[in-house]
Amino acid sequence: ETGVTQSPTHLIKTRGQQVTLRCSSQSGHNTVSWYQQALGQGPQFIFQYYREEENGRGNFPPRFSGLQFPNYSSELNVNALELDDSALYLCASSLVRPARRSGTFSAGELFFGEGSRLTVL
Amino acid sequence: RKEVEQDPGPFNVPEGATVAFNCTYSNSASQSFFWYRQDCRKEPKLLMSVYSSGNEDGRFTAQLNRASQYISLLIRDSKLSDSATYLCVVNSRGNKLVFGAGTILRVKS
């Protein structure tokens, strides 16, 4: 529906392993944001990528890293998995336009993918 | 203190009822405000933006009170299909949206 696709949809890992989650953004969008949503909580901002560079990061440790590719698709990598990393990982694409004067960014509507549900045992 | 706070509910209401959700935010520099809807085990979807002058979209009305740092969502004539989690969202910097934990609404026949 939103044109944002994520893979895999479900996966199970064990503590200490590494995982890569993938996201294809909606056509015409230049920005990808990643969120972690634990059960019963709202989505928590991990980071955002704009034009292949990290453009803001939430309160997540360095073992959470990402990439954005020239076609604006993105990856989220998590190393040394911990039990608390079990969550739904949501990718959202948007069209962000930098404001001319301030250089800040104006975020458009976020379009979410259906998420990747990660279980760490 | 969380940056965006909501009553988790659940709000259990009969069809046809009017229900209101509130949300407070802590960052007075916040620029944009939204309500997102999330169905069970689905992704969040934008319900409506919230403007300073207040705005209405059919049965849904959103209001913003910057002085009190307070956002509200009013749903009139509730439908069964309105059952979902409603997420209050604040854009405190240009590139970061902060989500509340959500308010659960259950509309019953």
Side-chain angles (χ1 to χ4, degrees):
Chain A
E1 281 186 32
T2 64
V4 179
T5 58
Q6 291 187 244
S7 62
T9 54
H10 296 80
L11 70 166
I12 299 173
K13 292 284 189 177
T14 56
R15 274 186 306 175
Q17 284 190 310
Q18 179 267 343
V19 68
T20 297
L21 307 178
R22 296 179 176 83
C23 172
S24 294
S25 58
Q26 188 181 97
S27 176
H29 285 180
N30 58 10
T31 301
V32 173
S33 304
W34 285 93
Y35 287 79
Q36 179 196 66
Q37 187 173 24
L39 199 61
Q41 300 297 315
Q44 300 296 308
F45 177 74
I46 303 175
F47 42 56
Q48 183 186 83
Y49 279 82
Y50 171 72
R51 293 187 175 177
E52 301 178 55
E53 291 191 0
E54 188 177 290
N55 180 41
R57 187 178 182 95
N59 188 26
F60 281 80
R63 58 189 186 85
F64 285 77
S65 63
L67 285 172
Q68 187 182 32
F69 301 101
N71 65 356
Y72 301 122
S73 64
S74 177
E75 284 182 358
L76 164 65
N77 298 292
V78 187
N79 294 324
L81 284 168
E82 300 177 0
L83 297 179
D84 286 349
D85 295 334
S86 296
L88 179 67
Y89 288 85
L90 294 161
C91 165
S93 77
S94 59
L95 179 60
V96 170
R97 299 181 178 87
R100 288 181 187 173
R101 287 187 189 174
S102 63
T104 57
F105 292 83
S106 171
E109 177 183 348
L110 289 183
F111 292 85
F112 283 90
E114 293 189 355
S116 294
R117 191 167 296 279
L118 171 64
T119 301
V120 182
L121 302 176
Chain B
R1 183 185 172 190
K2 292 184 180 179
E3 194 167 344
V4 179
E5 298 210 55
Q6 298 181 246
D7 180 345
F11 286 64
N12 295 301
V13 303
E15 273 186 292
T18 295
V19 62
F21 306 139
N22 302 321
C23 166
T24 58
Y25 60 95
S26 60
N27 186 348
S28 60
S30 298
Q31 298 293 320
S32 316
F33 310 88
F34 310 90
W35 283 101
Y36 273 72
R37 170 193 168 131
Q38 186 171 26
D39 293 300
C40 187
R41 304 186 76 81
K42 294 284 192 179
E43 74 277 18
K45 292 183 181 177
L46 178 66
L47 178 65
M48 59 196 306
S49 301
V50 186
Y51 304 121
S52 297
S53 55
N55 50 304
E56 187 174 312
D57 182 4
R59 298 182 292 108
F60 299 83
T61 301
Q63 293 197 313
L64 167 65
N65 184 322
R66 285 189 183 270
S68 302
Q69 295 180 203
Y70 168 99
I71 305 159
S72 66
L73 176 68
L74 182 77
I75 305 175
R76 290 181 299 277
D77 188 23
S78 298
K79 311 290 185 192
L80 294 175
S81 57
D82 294 334
S83 298
T85 297
Y86 291 82
L87 299 162
C88 175
V89 186
V90 173
N91 185 348
S92 58
R93 293 195 304 268
N95 61 341
K96 176 184 172 184
L97 292 187
V98 181
F99 285 74
T103 298
I104 297 171
L105 172 65
R106 296 180 185 143
V107 182
K108 307 201 172 186
S109 57

